[in-house]
């Protein structure tokens, strides 16, 4: 399957066209909506005050509850825009946001309101597409789960077994150690009080993905496929599989995953490789961690440049923004992983 996301943060609607969806899938739209509800804004003091119902509408590709094989188009209408909040930064791009890069790419014709097509709002249709992918994967015994592994240097308990993630699927702040989760929440609220933001990490596992899928070269490499989908999520700045950057601190005797036999199947006793060797899945859960930068839209004064005059200026950003996007990004990362898993499997 291939997806195309369309729309802008303050436009009429946002949505996704998902091509290559197999026909005859009995699509559970309530499950799609539940995934969107996990990501939706305006739920508590940890997220933006913007309130959107994020109700999904299917425009094509579904008939009498089943997919037809035609492009599946899903749309989400916007309703709570404060576009005038962005008038003052039309020609003064926000530092580390997509504003300036988007201005260059669109020859100055970008929709600057709320970040336009570069807004985190555009992750809602990605979640909708991922919800379809999850249902396709479920038919093959594959499931995806994730937890917040870190916020502002506060680490969640290490995941002992991906099965632990099943219990977190309905959580608005999914962590394995609730005490650490409370510390994370306090750090987010402190940043909000200081008119600032914080970043963090999400650890995700794709369980049940059979071995032998992928390849060592460009275009087929399983880690490369996952990374391409994950880096398409705004704010993701790093991806590590298995032990990730920790490999730099290990010897080979510590980093290798010994083989064993469980119930007649070849497995590994550890999974430091994250379920992939040589760019090919090895039958263990595909485990990775993504790092998300702090929200660049903060209320503190920042330095910018007036694109009309070339003069250096100071800006103060208005609008409603998340002091930390990590907790709302969990279903987004799961969605990207589900879409990637479908490509690895050839769905």
């Amino acid at each position: 399957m291939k997806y195309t996301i369309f729309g802008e943060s303050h436009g009429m609607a946002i949505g996704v066209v998902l091509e290559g969806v197999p026909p005859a899938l009995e699509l559970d739209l309530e499950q799609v909506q539940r995934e969107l509800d996990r990501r939706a804004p305006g739920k508590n003091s940890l997220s933006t005050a913007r309130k959107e119902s994020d109700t999904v509408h299917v425009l094509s590709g579904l008939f009498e509850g089943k997919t037809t094989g035609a492009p599946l188009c899903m749309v989400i209408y916007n309703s709570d825009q404060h576009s005038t909040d962005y008038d003052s930064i039309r020609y003064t791009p926000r530092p580390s946001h997509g504003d300036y890069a988007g201005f260059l790419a669109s020859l100055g014709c970008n929709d600057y309101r709320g970040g336009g097509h570069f807004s985190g709002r555009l992750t809602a249709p990605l979640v909708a597409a991922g919800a379809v992918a999850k249902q396709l994967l479920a038919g093959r015994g594959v499931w995806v789960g994730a937890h917040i592994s870190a916020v502002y240097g506060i680490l969640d308990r290490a995941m002992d077994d991906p099965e632990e993630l099943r219990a977190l699927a309905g959580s608005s702040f999914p962590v394995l150690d609730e005490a650490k989760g409370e510390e994370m929440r306090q750090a987010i609220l402190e940043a909000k009080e200081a008119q600032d933001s914080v970043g963090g990490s999400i650890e995700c596992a794709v369980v049940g993905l059979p071995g032998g899928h992928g390849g060592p070269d460009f275009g087929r490499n399983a880690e490369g496929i996952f990374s391409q989908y994950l880096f398409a999520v705004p704010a993701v700045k790093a991806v590590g599989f298995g032990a990730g950057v920790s490999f730099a601190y290990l010897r080979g005797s510590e980093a290798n995953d010994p083989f064993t036999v469980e119930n007649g199947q070849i497995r590994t006793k550890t999974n430091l490789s994250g379920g992939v060797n040589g760019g090919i899945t090895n039958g263990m859960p595909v485990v990775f961690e993504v790092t998300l930068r702090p929200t660049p839209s903060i209320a503190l004064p920042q330095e910018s440049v007036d694109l009309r005059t070339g003069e250096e200026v100071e800006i103060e950003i208005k609008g409603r923004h998340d002091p930390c996007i990590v907790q709302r990004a969990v279903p987004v990362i799961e969605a990207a992983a589900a879409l990637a898993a479908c490509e690895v499997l050839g769905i």
Side-chain angles (χ1 to χ4, degrees):
M1 298 186 299
K2 298 293 183 182
Y3 73 87
T4 300
I5 289 176
F6 62 86
E8 288 80 32
S9 177
H10 286 220
M12 179 182 295
I14 54 179
V16 62
V17 177
L18 193 57
E19 297 183 81
V21 181
L25 170 68
E26 292 188 10
L27 187 61
D28 186 344
L29 287 177
E30 291 184 359
Q31 178 58 34
V32 174
Q33 191 62 55
R34 282 194 292 270
E35 292 291 313
L36 283 163
D37 291 344
R38 294 173 62 199
R39 193 219 69 94
K43 289 185 175 181
N44 53 52
S45 59
L46 301 179
S47 67
T48 172
R50 180 172 179 172
K51 294 184 181 296
E52 296 281 0
S53 65
D54 280 357
T55 302
V56 65
H57 302 273
V58 178
L59 301 187
S60 66
L62 189 70
F63 183 68
E64 295 181 342
K66 295 182 179 180
T67 55
T68 65
L72 181 67
C73 181
M74 295 179 286
V75 66
I76 300 166
Y77 293 102
N78 293 324
S79 62
D80 186 20
Q81 305 103 312
H82 291 180
S83 298
T84 56
D85 289 344
Y86 297 90
D87 289 345
S88 62
I89 62 167
R90 179 170 188 171
Y91 299 105
T92 51
R94 293 167 290 181
S96 294
H97 203 285
D99 295 346
Y100 180 58
F103 178 86
L104 294 176
S106 68
L107 304 180
C109 298
N110 59 305
D111 184 345
Y112 62 90
R113 302 168 302 167
H117 191 67
F118 300 91
S119 170
R121 176 106 185 99
L122 276 294
T123 60
L126 175 60
V127 169
V132 177
K134 282 186 174 183
Q135 292 182 41
L136 286 167
L137 291 172
R140 301 199 179 196
V142 180
W143 63 274
V144 183
H147 72 113
I148 301 170
S149 52
V151 167
Y152 195 49
I154 302 166
L155 305 181
D156 191 17
R157 174 175 66 76
M159 181 177 64
D160 297 322
D161 184 341
E163 289 291 333
E164 296 180 281
L165 300 178
R166 286 186 183 272
L168 302 180
S171 174
S172 61
F173 201 92
V175 289
L176 299 171
D177 185 332
E178 188 52 43
K180 289 295 183 181
E182 185 56 33
E183 289 183 41
M184 294 176 188
R185 293 185 187 92
Q186 289 304 313
I188 295 171
L189 292 175
E190 288 172 9
K192 180 180 180 180
E193 181 66 23
Q195 298 184 315
D196 215 330
S197 63
V198 292
S201 301
I202 295 169
E203 185 179 36
C204 183
V206 182
V207 183
L209 202 60
H213 291 271
D217 50 1
F218 179 80
R220 295 193 301 150
N221 186 289
E223 289 163 317
I225 291 171
F226 273 94
S227 296
Q228 186 171 7
Y229 281 84
L230 293 167
F231 277 118
V233 177
V236 170
K237 301 301 288 184
V239 177
F241 289 84
V245 296
S246 296
F247 277 121
Y249 305 99
L250 302 176
R251 292 185 174 182
S253 57
E254 300 169 307
N256 290 347
D257 297 311
F259 285 108
T260 186
V261 176
E262 292 181 3
N263 300 320
Q265 293 185 325
I266 297 177
R267 311 288 284 174
T268 58
K269 292 184 177 180
T270 55
N271 192 24
L272 296 174
S273 295
V276 181
N277 295 119
I280 303 171
T281 58
N282 62 20
M284 296 295 289
V286 173
V287 178
F288 59 85
E289 185 176 55
V290 298
T291 300
L292 299 96
R293 63 165 298 120
T295 313
S297 295
I298 57 177
L300 294 172
Q302 298 187 78
E303 297 174 355
S304 185
V305 171
D306 191 315
L307 300 178
R308 297 164 296 185
T309 65
E311 296 179 353
E312 297 180 357
V313 295
E314 184 179 88
I315 63 172
E316 292 188 14
I317 300 171
K318 299 179 182 179
R320 299 160 296 174
H321 308 284
D322 292 89
C324 179
I325 63 171
V326 176
Q327 69 275 12
R328 290 179 57 212
V330 172
V332 182
I333 297 303
E334 290 181 10
L339 288 162
C342 283
E343 180 166 336
V344 170
L345 288 174
I347 298 177

PDB file of all heavy atoms in Angstrom, residues 85-96:
ATOM      1  N   ASP A  85      -3.891  34.080  14.683  1.00  0.00           N
ATOM      2  CA  ASP A  85      -2.753  33.946  15.596  1.00  0.00           C
ATOM      3  C   ASP A  85      -1.431  33.903  14.839  1.00  0.00           C
ATOM      4  O   ASP A  85      -0.365  34.141  15.424  1.00  0.00           O
ATOM      5  CB  ASP A  85      -2.880  32.662  16.433  1.00  0.00           C
ATOM      6  CG  ASP A  85      -3.986  32.747  17.479  1.00  0.00           C
ATOM      7  OD1 ASP A  85      -4.431  33.873  17.760  1.00  0.00           O
ATOM      8  OD2 ASP A  85      -4.388  31.691  17.988  1.00  0.00           O
ATOM      9  N   TYR A  86      -1.487  33.597  13.542  1.00  0.00           N
ATOM     10  CA  TYR A  86      -0.259  33.376  12.767  1.00  0.00           C
ATOM     11  C   TYR A  86       0.071  34.520  11.810  1.00  0.00           C
ATOM     12  O   TYR A  86       1.072  34.452  11.102  1.00  0.00           O
ATOM     13  CB  TYR A  86      -0.372  32.059  11.998  1.00  0.00           C
ATOM     14  CG  TYR A  86      -0.505  30.870  12.928  1.00  0.00           C
ATOM     15  CD1 TYR A  86      -1.761  30.420  13.337  1.00  0.00           C
ATOM     16  CD2 TYR A  86       0.609  30.225  13.435  1.00  0.00           C
ATOM     17  CE1 TYR A  86      -1.896  29.360  14.218  1.00  0.00           C
ATOM     18  CE2 TYR A  86       0.489  29.157  14.308  1.00  0.00           C
ATOM     19  CZ  TYR A  86      -0.767  28.732  14.687  1.00  0.00           C
ATOM     20  OH  TYR A  86      -0.891  27.687  15.566  1.00  0.00           O
ATOM     21  N   ASP A  87      -0.757  35.577  11.808  1.00  0.00           N
ATOM     22  CA  ASP A  87      -0.513  36.684  10.892  1.00  0.00           C
ATOM     23  C   ASP A  87       0.859  37.316  11.114  1.00  0.00           C
ATOM     24  O   ASP A  87       1.545  37.694  10.163  1.00  0.00           O
ATOM     25  CB  ASP A  87      -1.595  37.760  11.052  1.00  0.00           C
ATOM     26  CG  ASP A  87      -2.944  37.296  10.511  1.00  0.00           C
ATOM     27  OD1 ASP A  87      -2.973  36.295   9.771  1.00  0.00           O
ATOM     28  OD2 ASP A  87      -3.968  37.933  10.847  1.00  0.00           O
ATOM     29  N   SER A  88       1.273  37.392  12.378  1.00  0.00           N
ATOM     30  CA  SER A  88       2.520  38.097  12.705  1.00  0.00           C
ATOM     31  C   SER A  88       3.769  37.336  12.282  1.00  0.00           C
ATOM     32  O   SER A  88       4.858  37.922  12.241  1.00  0.00           O
ATOM     33  CB  SER A  88       2.576  38.382  14.208  1.00  0.00           C
ATOM     34  OG  SER A  88       2.588  37.164  14.943  1.00  0.00           O
ATOM     35  N   ILE A  89       3.642  36.037  11.984  1.00  0.00           N
ATOM     36  CA  ILE A  89       4.836  35.260  11.617  1.00  0.00           C
ATOM     37  C   ILE A  89       4.798  34.816  10.153  1.00  0.00           C
ATOM     38  O   ILE A  89       5.564  33.943   9.758  1.00  0.00           O
ATOM     39  CB  ILE A  89       5.000  34.023  12.530  1.00  0.00           C
ATOM     40  CG1 ILE A  89       3.796  33.075  12.372  1.00  0.00           C
ATOM     41  CG2 ILE A  89       5.213  34.419  13.969  1.00  0.00           C
ATOM     42  CD1 ILE A  89       4.038  31.714  12.989  1.00  0.00           C
ATOM     43  N   ARG A  90       3.949  35.463   9.360  1.00  0.00           N
ATOM     44  CA  ARG A  90       3.854  35.068   7.949  1.00  0.00           C
ATOM     45  C   ARG A  90       5.206  35.172   7.249  1.00  0.00           C
ATOM     46  O   ARG A  90       5.566  34.308   6.439  1.00  0.00           O
ATOM     47  CB  ARG A  90       2.822  35.926   7.230  1.00  0.00           C
ATOM     48  CG  ARG A  90       2.704  35.584   5.757  1.00  0.00           C
ATOM     49  CD  ARG A  90       1.528  36.254   5.107  1.00  0.00           C
ATOM     50  NE  ARG A  90       1.336  35.756   3.744  1.00  0.00           N
ATOM     51  CZ  ARG A  90       0.282  36.026   2.982  1.00  0.00           C
ATOM     52  NH1 ARG A  90      -0.706  36.787   3.461  1.00  0.00           N
ATOM     53  NH2 ARG A  90       0.194  35.540   1.761  1.00  0.00           N
ATOM     54  N   TYR A  91       5.952  36.244   7.554  1.00  0.00           N
ATOM     55  CA  TYR A  91       7.248  36.454   6.913  1.00  0.00           C
ATOM     56  C   TYR A  91       8.415  36.353   7.886  1.00  0.00           C
ATOM     57  O   TYR A  91       9.537  36.714   7.550  1.00  0.00           O
ATOM     58  CB  TYR A  91       7.261  37.817   6.216  1.00  0.00           C
ATOM     59  CG  TYR A  91       6.214  37.932   5.129  1.00  0.00           C
ATOM     60  CD1 TYR A  91       5.061  38.686   5.330  1.00  0.00           C
ATOM     61  CD2 TYR A  91       6.367  37.255   3.924  1.00  0.00           C
ATOM     62  CE1 TYR A  91       4.093  38.781   4.336  1.00  0.00           C
ATOM     63  CE2 TYR A  91       5.400  37.346   2.930  1.00  0.00           C
ATOM     64  CZ  TYR A  91       4.266  38.109   3.138  1.00  0.00           C
ATOM     65  OH  TYR A  91       3.304  38.194   2.158  1.00  0.00           O
ATOM     66  N   THR A  92       8.137  35.848   9.084  1.00  0.00           N
ATOM     67  CA  THR A  92       9.218  35.651  10.065  1.00  0.00           C
ATOM     68  C   THR A  92       9.143  34.208  10.551  1.00  0.00           C
ATOM     69  O   THR A  92       8.446  33.899  11.520  1.00  0.00           O
ATOM     70  CB  THR A  92       9.070  36.622  11.255  1.00  0.00           C
ATOM     71  OG1 THR A  92       7.725  36.542  11.776  1.00  0.00           O
ATOM     72  CG2 THR A  92       9.364  38.042  10.822  1.00  0.00           C
ATOM     73  N   PRO A  93       9.821  33.287   9.890  1.00  0.00           N
ATOM     74  CA  PRO A  93       9.690  31.858  10.191  1.00  0.00           C
ATOM     75  C   PRO A  93      10.095  31.503  11.611  1.00  0.00           C
ATOM     76  O   PRO A  93      11.054  32.058  12.154  1.00  0.00           O
ATOM     77  CB  PRO A  93      10.610  31.203   9.161  1.00  0.00           C
ATOM     78  CG  PRO A  93      11.579  32.270   8.774  1.00  0.00           C
ATOM     79  CD  PRO A  93      10.809  33.550   8.831  1.00  0.00           C
ATOM     80  N   ARG A  94       9.363  30.569  12.178  1.00  0.00           N
ATOM     81  CA  ARG A  94       9.677  30.083  13.523  1.00  0.00           C
ATOM     82  C   ARG A  94      10.933  29.215  13.486  1.00  0.00           C
ATOM     83  O   ARG A  94      11.062  28.340  12.619  1.00  0.00           O
ATOM     84  CB  ARG A  94       8.498  29.271  14.071  1.00  0.00           C
ATOM     85  CG  ARG A  94       7.258  30.091  14.337  1.00  0.00           C
ATOM     86  CD  ARG A  94       6.036  29.218  14.572  1.00  0.00           C
ATOM     87  NE  ARG A  94       5.613  28.538  13.342  1.00  0.00           N
ATOM     88  CZ  ARG A  94       4.570  27.726  13.263  1.00  0.00           C
ATOM     89  NH1 ARG A  94       3.857  27.462  14.346  1.00  0.00           N
ATOM     90  NH2 ARG A  94       4.256  27.167  12.116  1.00  0.00           N
ATOM     91  N   PRO A  95      11.870  29.447  14.409  1.00  0.00           N
ATOM     92  CA  PRO A  95      13.089  28.636  14.441  1.00  0.00           C
ATOM     93  C   PRO A  95      12.781  27.142  14.572  1.00  0.00           C
ATOM     94  O   PRO A  95      11.936  26.745  15.366  1.00  0.00           O
ATOM     95  CB  PRO A  95      13.832  29.156  15.680  1.00  0.00           C
ATOM     96  CG  PRO A  95      13.356  30.562  15.830  1.00  0.00           C
ATOM     97  CD  PRO A  95      11.913  30.526  15.418  1.00  0.00           C
ATOM     98  N   SER A  96      13.455  26.328  13.760  1.00  0.00           N
ATOM     99  CA  SER A  96      13.392  24.861  13.801  1.00  0.00           C
ATOM    100  C   SER A  96      12.039  24.291  13.409  1.00  0.00           C
ATOM    101  O   SER A  96      11.804  23.090  13.550  1.00  0.00           O
ATOM    102  CB  SER A  96      13.811  24.338  15.180  1.00  0.00           C
ATOM    103  OG  SER A  96      15.179  24.622  15.417  1.00  0.00           O
TER     104      SER A  96
END
